[in-house]
Amino acid sequence: MNFDVAIIGGGLAGLTCGIALQQQGKQCVIINNGQAAIDFSSGSMDLLGQLPSGCPIQHFEQNYTALYQQLPQHPYCVIGQEKVMAKAQQFEQLAQELNLGLVGSSAQNHLRVTPLGSLRSTWLSPNSVPTVGQHAVFPHDKIAVLGIEGYHDFQPQLLAENLVQNPQFSHCEVTTGFLNIPELDHLRNHSREFRSVNIAQLLEHKLAFSDLVREIREAAQGAKAVFLPACFGLETQEFFNALKQATQLELFELPTLPPSLLGMRQHKQLTHYFKQLGGFMMNGDKVVSADVENYRVKRVYTHLHQEVPITASDFVLASGSFFSKGLVADFDKIYEPIFQADILAYKDFNATDRMTWTSNRFASPQPYQAAGVIINAQCQVQKCGQFFENLYAIGNILGGFNGIELGCGSGVAVVTALVAAEHIGGGL
């Protein structure tokens, strides 16, 4: 099997890179091992939420110098400010082309409401999620937070109590309630199946739509804005939009415990667009080994096709971190399992010294979370101090940053994906 580019990993980074390359006329294959981290995400995408010092930021561009001074090995710092900003804006345009329904700008972070009622700074959010500007107030003064009877992954009272503690919502009257939705009685009797995905599947196919509209309107008790758990619309946002139009209320949805419908929708839309452009998906398979000559990857072998290698001109490592086994931690070492790429030494972290992997305080950011492979400004991978000619790494497989602590995981994924795609396509 021969392609122009073989991408190892089908999450946000891999799909973004694949779409950009297909748009350039490259023939790509994505080798996808299974569920990606995007399926468990909130649906919002972070560019950079805070500096390593802990200082929250609103404007990425204004804080780039501080980021470079505090964490020069961060992928953004390796790539360079001008390129990072250009690729962030390129992804915003791509999201519009794909109708992902994202709002926000790299010029300034906004705040999104979390399922616990706190506010989190972020770059892009689904337009169905309640958001507010850094110094703005929510435009509605009466909010109804509605859960679903028997569904424990969304707690309206907890959300409501925390929400009004934020200055942006302190003026709001927030009430709570629960929707019964009789069609869900079967799931209630099987609590292990009472999850967002199962609810959405059932509602789209076996629901008396007018009854749901009436129940929401009655439970809102006169509130114009209504917050709901993200359980309405599995494949796309169309079902939720239809519900919003029929109720004539300002409906908003919030992500629940994983898996998250908001992230799953984005994954499905990106996958669909990649295929629509002619990209080829190899699902349920994983790369187990590779042939390399003089720092050039010739071919890779997968678990299901060990006798039929995949050849390509360029290869992209988008296999994620520990969650998706892009990185592996044995008792005595952390390593990248396919190419044995160099692992970045982060502060006092040593990939072969287990005692440096964790912090003494459980709640502190853990050093191993910033482990990953080393790249140059073109996202080419380093091994034994030398960079591969045609192997690139993007997304959470990269070292030098803690995406959870800094609020930048999604941004690193899409920025590095587009940088690699541009270099492969000859744009650099």
Side-chain angles (χ1 to χ4, degrees):
M1 291 182 283
N2 186 46
F3 300 89
D4 294 324
V5 185
I7 300 171
I8 304 168
L12 176 61
L15 284 166
T16 300
C17 186
I19 288 170
L21 287 166
Q22 288 290 146
Q23 289 178 330
Q24 295 177 44
K26 300 290 186 180
Q27 183 60 52
C28 300
V29 59
I30 290 179
I31 306 161
N32 184 30
N33 189 24
Q35 277 190 303
I38 189 175
D39 292 324
F40 300 85
S41 74
S42 67
S44 293
M45 298 185 183
D46 301 332
L47 189 60
L48 186 67
Q50 70 175 40
L51 294 170
S53 63
C55 178
I57 68 170
Q58 297 182 27
H59 307 278
F60 171 80
E61 194 166 14
Q62 294 177 11
N63 288 273
Y64 180 87
T65 300
L67 175 66
Y68 188 90
Q69 292 171 344
Q70 296 178 28
L71 197 62
Q73 65 268 49
H74 192 291
Y76 290 159
C77 301
V78 174
I79 291 169
Q81 179 179 355
E82 183 177 348
K83 184 67 69 176
V84 170
M85 291 302 302
K87 294 311 174 188
Q89 293 165 7
Q90 183 182 341
F91 182 79
E92 292 172 7
Q93 296 172 355
L94 181 63
Q96 290 183 347
E97 293 175 19
L98 273 57
N99 296 317
L100 292 182
L102 297 175
V103 296
S105 168
S106 57
Q108 182 175 358
N109 286 338
H110 62 265
L111 301 172
R112 66 174 177 89
V113 178
T114 74
L116 295 179
S118 62
L119 300 182
R120 180 177 172 87
S121 180
T122 192
W123 167 35
L124 300 171
S125 291
N127 56 21
S128 59
V129 170
T131 61
V132 66
Q134 295 280 351
H135 302 292
V137 295
F138 193 65
H140 305 286
D141 57 9
K142 189 172 183 181
I143 304 170
V145 182
L146 305 180
I148 298 173
E149 287 187 12
Y151 179 60
H152 301 302
D153 290 351
F154 184 81
Q155 299 293 326
Q157 289 180 321
L158 180 62
L159 191 157
E161 291 174 3
N162 291 334
L163 188 65
V164 293
Q165 305 303 315
N166 300 294
Q168 294 85 350
F169 288 86
S170 60
H171 67 289
C172 296
E173 176 189 348
V174 184
T175 59
T176 62
F178 290 89
L179 303 173
N180 178 263
I181 314 178
E183 289 85 355
L184 299 179
D185 286 344
H186 172 74
L187 292 180
R188 291 189 181 95
N189 295 329
H190 301 80
S191 58
R192 291 184 179 180
E193 298 178 12
F194 207 20
R195 296 290 182 264
S196 59
V197 173
N198 305 79
I199 293 172
Q201 288 174 331
L202 193 148
L203 292 182
E204 286 200 39
H205 301 291
K206 298 183 179 180
L207 175 71
F209 186 77
S210 58
D211 290 345
L212 177 60
V213 171
R214 182 167 53 253
E215 189 172 357
I216 291 175
R217 289 187 61 85
E218 291 175 355
Q221 299 179 349
K224 182 63 176 178
V226 177
F227 291 3
L228 297 167
C231 298
F232 304 89
L234 181 61
E235 299 285 338
T236 67
Q237 198 179 303
E238 291 181 6
F239 183 87
F240 181 82
N241 290 342
L243 201 59
K244 182 176 181 178
Q245 183 175 3
T247 60
Q248 296 184 327
L249 296 171
E250 290 298 322
L251 299 187
F252 298 92
E253 56 182 348
L254 291 165
T256 62
L257 290 179
S260 164
L261 286 189
L262 295 171
M264 292 176 65
R265 287 178 197 161
Q266 291 174 355
H267 197 183
K268 291 177 184 293
Q269 288 175 277
L270 291 168
T271 301
H272 173 75
Y273 195 71
F274 173 72
K275 291 180 179 179
Q276 192 177 57
L277 290 170
F280 184 65
M281 295 287 297
M282 293 178 62
N283 291 317
D285 204 355
K286 65 178 181 179
V287 174
V288 294
S289 62
D291 289 338
V292 178
E293 297 178 11
N294 297 321
Y295 286 89
R296 187 169 185 84
V297 182
K298 296 295 185 180
R299 59 194 68 84
V300 295
Y301 301 85
T302 72
H303 178 72
L304 299 179
H305 300 86
Q306 296 190 36
E307 304 300 324
V308 183
I310 296 172
T311 60
S313 299
D314 294 280
F315 295 81
V316 179
L317 190 59
S319 48
S321 188
F322 299 98
F323 175 81
S324 52
K325 298 182 179 179
L327 295 175
V328 176
D330 283 347
F331 185 83
D332 60 345
K333 65 176 180 177
I334 290 174
Y335 63 98
E336 185 278 308
I338 301 172
F339 301 97
Q340 303 297 318
D342 291 345
I343 301 297
L344 182 64
Y346 176 76
K347 295 183 179 178
D348 296 326
F349 171 85
N350 185 333
T352 60
D353 182 357
R354 186 180 184 86
M355 300 305 295
T356 68
W357 298 354
T358 56
S359 170
N360 292 332
R361 189 169 184 271
F362 178 78
S364 298
Q366 301 299 318
Y368 77 86
Q369 294 174 314
V373 304
I374 300 173
I375 58 168
N376 60 15
Q378 291 75 44
C379 294
Q380 290 165 306
V381 177
Q382 178 181 302
K383 180 178 180 179
C384 299
Q386 186 170 335
F387 292 101
F388 283 88
E389 293 182 16
N390 67 336
L391 176 63
Y392 304 80
I394 59 177
N396 285 331
I397 186 72
L398 303 180
F401 74 106
N402 184 329
I404 298 175
E405 176 194 7
L406 302 181
C408 62
S410 302
V412 169
V414 299
V415 166
T416 55
L418 294 174
V419 168
E422 182 181 36
H423 193 259
I424 292 170
L428 289 177

